[in-house]
């Protein structure tokens, strides 16, 4: 599976709020950073993901563009939360030697 395929799979699982399947994609020492938080470790990343899921009823994620390198993927995303709140986000994922997600850096943007 290519890194781009894993990235798309992660987004599908995130939209489906499938925490158990997401856990299988995360490296043990994953680092997660966005515009609000910065944390390290699989347990902390899964706890933050669970917290995000608990705050919403539905998520729709559309990939607007995708860029892949040897060890990472960056995707420009349009995220619709609960059918009404729209976010534009750039997710940058880096992968370890086993193909697990080792880093997620997310940046909020604008839709215009």
């Amino acid at each position: 599976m290519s890194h781009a395929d894993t990235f798309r799979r992660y987004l599908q699982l995130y939209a489906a709020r499938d925490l158990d399947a997401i856990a299988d994609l995360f490296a043990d020492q994953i680092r997660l950073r966005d515009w609000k938080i910065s944390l390290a470790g699989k347990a902390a990343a899964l706890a933050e993901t669970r917290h995000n899921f608990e705050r919403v009823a539905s998520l729709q994620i559309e990939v607007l563009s995708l860029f892949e390198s040897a060890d990472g993927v960056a995707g420009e995303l349009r995220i619709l939360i609960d059918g009404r709140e729209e976010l534009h986000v750039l997710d940058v994922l880096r992968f370890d030697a086993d193909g697990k997600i080792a880093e997620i850096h997310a940046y909020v943007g604008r839709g215009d």
Side-chain angles (χ1 to χ4, degrees):
M1 183 180 293
S2 74
H3 294 320
D5 291 338
T6 302
F7 181 85
R8 286 186 187 97
R9 177 82 177 129
Y10 167 70
L11 296 176
Q12 290 169 346
L13 295 170
Y14 201 97
R17 301 186 307 168
D18 188 340
L19 195 62
D20 291 334
I22 288 171
D24 292 337
L25 298 178
F26 283 2
D28 289 339
Q29 300 305 316
I30 188 171
R31 296 191 48 77
L32 174 61
R33 183 182 74 208
D34 67 16
W35 54 97
K36 294 180 183 177
I37 56 100
S38 180
L39 52 87
K42 190 172 187 173
L46 290 172
E48 179 63 23
T49 303
R50 180 182 304 106
H51 175 71
N52 290 341
F53 292 167
E54 290 169 349
R55 295 177 27 217
V56 302
S58 69
L59 292 165
Q60 295 174 324
I61 303 173
E62 176 185 4
V63 177
L64 302 176
S65 60
L66 191 69
F67 304 92
E68 186 173 11
S69 70
D71 69 343
V73 175
E76 181 185 11
L77 312 174
R78 177 184 168 271
I79 303 172
L80 190 60
I81 302 167
D82 294 335
R84 65 181 181 275
E85 182 184 350
E86 185 176 89
L87 285 178
H88 287 263
V89 174
L90 176 69
D91 269 2
V92 180
L93 275 63
R94 296 226 181 258
F95 297 86
D96 68 13
D98 296 322
K100 299 283 188 176
I101 299 170
E103 295 179 19
I104 301 172
H105 295 177
Y107 306 88
V108 70
R110 297 168 40 130
D112 58 357

